[in-house]
Amino acid sequence: MPAKTMDELVSLCKRRGFIFQGSEIYGGMQGAYDYGPLGIELKNNLKAAWWRSMVYERDDVEGLDAAIIQNKHVYKYSGHEDTFTDPMVDCHECKSRMRADHMKDIKICDNCGSDKVTEPRDFNLMFKTNVDFNGE
């Protein structure tokens, strides 16, 4: 029987040893997972299939492996600081936060039905981190 929700799929993957919640023995960390023996095999197979189709089978794409964290100027001049956002609203009743573009009606909370929601505003998806770049 196929999983119907992401929670069911994650639960199955945990039971079968594909993934484990990151730092699980210390209370876990939401959204961070470690791969078990089967999980890393699956991940490597998917990555190889993607690489093959996107790099080897195309003449207009070259492969590159670069650091995720770059000098802050890269994110500024690439437009990430200004445009890497989602429109968000907050509900004053149930205290939930939702993406406005995923709501049925941006004036009514999808969780509790309240009309006490904020106006949509851009929420920057870039996470803040501190890295020393040559003394900057």
Side-chain angles (χ1 to χ4, degrees):
M1 178 171 175
K4 293 187 173 97
T5 67
M6 182 59 86
D7 288 338
E8 287 179 13
L9 181 61
V10 170
S11 180
L12 174 66
C13 289
K14 282 180 165 183
R15 286 192 316 271
R16 301 279 170 91
F18 280 82
I19 58 169
F20 304 95
Q21 188 173 18
S23 308
E24 187 172 26
I25 63 171
Y26 298 105
M29 197 166 97
Q30 188 175 8
Y33 293 93
D34 297 327
Y35 296 95
L38 296 173
I40 194 65
E41 291 296 330
L42 177 62
K43 179 184 173 196
N44 287 340
N45 288 339
L46 288 170
K47 184 177 175 182
W50 179 88
W51 191 264
R52 194 170 35 260
S53 71
M54 293 303 296
V55 177
Y56 294 151
E57 296 176 5
R58 294 179 56 156
D59 293 330
D60 60 339
V61 175
E62 295 292 334
L64 174 68
D65 188 357
I68 293 172
I69 297 176
Q70 300 281 333
N71 186 292
K72 62 186 175 186
H73 299 298
V74 170
Y75 302 107
K76 179 179 180 182
Y77 297 124
S78 68
H80 279 78
E81 282 186 7
D82 296 328
T83 62
F84 200 60
T85 61
D86 279 340
M88 303 295 282
V89 300
D90 289 315
C91 176
H92 292 295
E93 287 291 318
C94 68
K95 309 296 185 217
S96 60
R97 178 173 284 161
M98 298 153 283
R99 281 184 54 174
D101 57 337
H102 287 188
M103 296 173 67
K104 296 176 194 121
D105 179 351
I106 62 169
K107 298 188 184 301
I108 305 293
C109 176
D110 285 348
N111 293 328
C112 71
S114 171
D115 63 353
K116 295 180 180 165
V117 296
T118 62
E119 289 296 317
R121 72 212 175 284
D122 285 337
F123 180 79
N124 192 314
L125 300 172
M126 301 291 289
F127 65 89
K128 184 174 177 138
T129 187
N130 295 307
V131 179
D132 185 18
F133 289 105
N134 299 323
E136 279 188 45

